[in-house]
Amino acid sequence: MAKQDNEKKKISESTIHRLSLYYRALSLLEKENYETISSKELAKREKLTPAQVRKDLSFFGSFGTRGLGYPVSELKTRISQILGIDRVWNVAMVGVGNIGSALVSYKEFQKQGFSIKLIFDNDQRKIGSNHKGMIVSDIKEMSTLLRENNIEMVILAVPAIVAQYIVDEVVEAGIKAILNFAQINLVVPDDVFLRNENMSMELEYLSFALSNQYTPG
Amino acid sequence: MAKQDNEKKKISESTIHRLSLYYRALSLLEKENYETISSKELAKREKLTPAQVRKDLSFFGSFGTRGLGYPVSELKTRISQILGIDRVWNVAMVGVGNIGSALVSYKEFQKQGFSIKLIFDNDQRKIGSNHKGMIVSDIKEMSTLLRENNIEMVILAVPAIVAQYIVDEVVEAGIKAILNFAQINLVVPDDVFLRNENMSMELEYLSFALSNQYTPG
DNA sequence: GAATGTGAAGGTTTTCACAGCA
DNA sequence: TGCTGTGAAAACCTTCACATTC
């Protein structure tokens, strides 16, 4: 709480997630040679309300021109600064099973500035093998290699059963940001950011929706 | 709005998502031979508050015993009914690139009752090939095969550029629930449930968090 | 005229706090 | 005593509406 006092105001998680959406929309608009975009049009593209778009953007100062809208390129640059994606992040993938190896080849990560620099596994058959031009390293060398390569984020794609053990080592190596694909609640110290990606959740939402005849939207 | 009037009360999206978490926690507790669980303990495991857990569960009637807690197995069963995962859903995967083929082998889907019955691709080299015991079908036969096999949900893992074209065909085939992994906003009729899985979003959140020295939590 | 920026209003979600029950 | 179930309060988030600016 106290730590956030130097921020103008607290920015909600939903706002951050919408910034990701705006960023993607603006990238597209840039390609379509738009110079400006109104909150109305941006809202329409992302299925939001114009007021919401304006409120979100107003957190970071006045950027639009009344009567005209927002300058596409400038706004895109500004959002990338806010999200911290105006740079390249050094990422390591831990686990080269189904999900892990698919994500190593996933171009969107690279595109947004998340550069996978190292890959780890504990399976002797995988260690030393080539994945997208990268050699799979032994997980035993993780601590050293993470430090040597200035890795800042780790993506965990290991079986749930070993995930806590591995995350402890990752934390030990000084990593402060972890994206976890394992279906388990991991424990990390207070100064480490941990996010979980639960791909079943959205399928379960669809299941709920179909079962309960909810109105889509 | 009106359509939801037959529900006791409107259940929020966040509540549904938390039900998924409770379900997973209860599955684990069952394995650990717990007979009952208090809101306090369940909250601790899922990093929520006890009051939140009780409010969520109270939507569906009184299930707990005062002084004791909730019966693990019964509660798990009840939640699975609410989420509609007390049955098997017939799912088709469209697109067998990196992500698609990883998801076909992803055991968690199967475990939660999402059974991938058909796989489609438009690449001639992939059509006819074997993926986890399933033959990849030609996307041209999608409409017929989806109907013949009573497919109820589709997972889209195709390039963004063709996603709208393909989703149109999926909708045409009568599918009412779609999980989209493509990085694009798709348009579907009002009676179709569409959810987007954006795996870059959580990495961007981590990027934001690291860049802004936010307090994790 | 068109569209931003923003206090105030409205709505939703979470937390509190305690009565009620095993 | 321990813990649920739940109205009421608090916190949070979204939308409204309009003054302001280009």
Side-chain angles (χ1 to χ4, degrees):
Chain A
M1 297 276 153
K3 219 175 185 181
Q4 285 172 25
D5 283 348
N6 52 352
E7 302 288 321
K8 286 169 203 172
K9 270 187 184 183
K10 199 202 53 187
I11 301 155
S12 75
E13 189 169 318
S14 357
T15 299
I16 307 302
H17 279 157
R18 283 194 298 271
L19 288 183
S20 293
L21 297 179
Y22 301 147
Y23 181 80
R24 238 175 52 189
L26 290 164
S27 302
L28 232 80
L29 286 162
E30 209 174 37
K31 275 190 201 147
E32 294 171 24
N33 293 315
Y34 279 69
E35 303 227 320
T36 56
I37 182 81
S38 66
S39 58
K40 194 178 161 191
E41 173 66 14
L42 194 48
K44 199 182 130 207
R45 291 189 171 221
E46 295 300 329
K47 286 189 195 145
L48 301 165
T49 65
Q52 175 117 80
V53 172
R54 294 201 299 277
K55 252 283 146 65
D56 284 341
L57 299 181
S58 75
F59 268 116
F60 315 104
S62 295
F63 238 74
T65 308
R66 286 160 203 239
L68 236 186
Y70 300 89
V72 171
S73 290
E74 271 173 78
L75 187 57
K76 182 183 162 227
T77 301
R78 187 76 188 90
I79 291 180
S80 76
Q81 288 164 355
I82 296 161
L83 288 176
I85 55 176
D86 57 338
R87 45 158 294 187
V88 171
W89 290 93
N90 293 331
V91 181
M93 173 69 64
V94 183
V96 210
N98 295 320
I99 302 291
S101 71
L103 293 177
V104 168
S105 307
Y106 188 55
K107 292 189 192 72
E108 298 297 329
F109 287 168
Q110 198 70 243
K111 222 188 264 177
Q112 310 280 323
F114 300 101
S115 175
I116 298 175
K117 291 274 163 57
L118 292 175
I119 316 179
F120 295 97
D121 208 292
N122 66 351
D123 185 336
Q124 291 301 325
R125 287 164 301 183
K126 287 175 183 164
I127 294 165
S129 72
N130 197 310
H131 266 258
K132 286 276 149 181
M134 275 170 284
I135 303 298
V136 177
S137 302
D138 192 329
I139 214 160
K140 284 176 190 145
E141 298 171 50
M142 195 168 64
S143 188
T144 321
L145 287 173
L146 289 179
R147 286 180 196 277
E148 279 179 11
N149 290 273
N150 297 310
I151 301 297
E152 300 156 292
M153 293 183 184
V154 160
I155 303 177
L156 262 197
V158 300
I161 191 100
V162 294
Q164 183 63 56
Y165 171 76
I166 291 170
V167 88
D168 289 346
E169 301 215 333
V170 168
V171 167
E172 186 63 37
I175 300 295
K176 300 292 183 205
I178 299 164
L179 179 58
N180 170 44
F181 279 81
Q183 298 282 54
I184 192 173
N185 291 317
L186 299 172
V187 180
V188 294
D190 280 352
D191 65 337
V192 175
F193 297 97
L194 170 69
R195 304 288 295 183
N196 295 298
E197 191 79 64
N198 184 342
M199 294 184 296
S200 302
M201 219 174 229
E202 291 298 333
L203 276 185
E204 284 167 20
Y205 189 93
L206 287 174
S207 165
F208 170 81
L210 285 181
S211 306
N212 294 272
Q213 297 297 101
Y214 253 50
T215 315
Chain B
M1 297 278 154
K3 220 177 182 179
Q4 286 172 24
D5 283 349
N6 52 352
E7 301 289 321
K8 287 167 200 175
K9 269 187 184 182
K10 199 201 56 191
I11 301 155
S12 75
E13 187 169 320
S14 354
T15 299
I16 307 302
H17 279 157
R18 282 193 299 269
L19 287 183
S20 293
L21 297 180
Y22 301 148
Y23 181 81
R24 239 176 51 190
L26 290 164
S27 303
L28 231 81
L29 286 163
E30 211 174 36
K31 275 189 203 151
E32 295 171 22
N33 293 315
Y34 278 69
E35 302 225 321
T36 56
I37 180 81
S38 67
S39 60
K40 194 178 160 191
E41 173 66 15
L42 194 48
K44 199 182 130 207
R45 291 188 171 221
E46 295 301 329
K47 284 190 195 144
L48 301 165
T49 65
Q52 176 120 77
V53 172
R54 294 200 300 275
K55 252 281 146 63
D56 284 342
L57 299 181
S58 75
F59 268 118
F60 316 105
S62 294
F63 239 75
T65 308
R66 287 162 202 237
L68 236 185
Y70 301 89
V72 170
S73 290
E74 271 173 79
L75 187 57
K76 182 183 163 226
T77 301
R78 187 75 189 91
I79 291 179
S80 77
Q81 288 164 356
I82 296 160
L83 289 176
I85 55 176
D86 55 340
R87 45 158 294 186
V88 172
W89 290 94
N90 292 332
V91 182
M93 172 69 63
V94 183
V96 210
N98 294 320
I99 303 291
S101 70
L103 294 176
V104 168
S105 308
Y106 188 55
K107 292 188 193 74
E108 298 296 330
F109 287 168
Q110 198 71 242
K111 223 188 266 178
Q112 311 279 323
F114 300 102
S115 175
I116 297 174
K117 290 272 162 53
L118 293 174
I119 317 180
F120 296 97
D121 207 291
N122 67 352
D123 184 337
Q124 291 301 325
R125 286 164 301 180
K126 286 174 185 167
I127 295 165
S129 71
N130 197 308
H131 266 259
K132 285 277 146 178
M134 276 170 284
I135 303 298
V136 177
S137 303
D138 192 331
I139 214 160
K140 282 176 191 144
E141 298 170 49
M142 194 167 65
S143 188
T144 321
L145 287 173
L146 289 180
R147 287 182 196 277
E148 279 178 9
N149 290 272
N150 298 309
I151 301 296
E152 301 157 291
M153 294 183 185
V154 160
I155 304 177
L156 261 196
V158 300
I161 190 101
V162 294
Q164 183 63 55
Y165 171 77
I166 290 171
V167 89
D168 289 346
E169 301 215 333
V170 168
V171 167
E172 186 63 38
I175 300 294
K176 300 293 183 207
I178 298 164
L179 179 58
N180 171 43
F181 279 81
Q183 299 282 52
I184 191 172
N185 292 318
L186 299 172
V187 180
V188 294
D190 280 352
D191 66 337
V192 175
F193 297 96
L194 171 70
R195 306 287 297 182
N196 296 298
E197 191 78 63
N198 185 342
M199 294 185 295
S200 302
M201 220 174 228
E202 292 297 333
L203 275 184
E204 283 166 21
Y205 189 92
L206 286 174
S207 165
F208 171 81
L210 285 181
S211 306
N212 294 271
Q213 296 297 101
Y214 253 50
T215 316

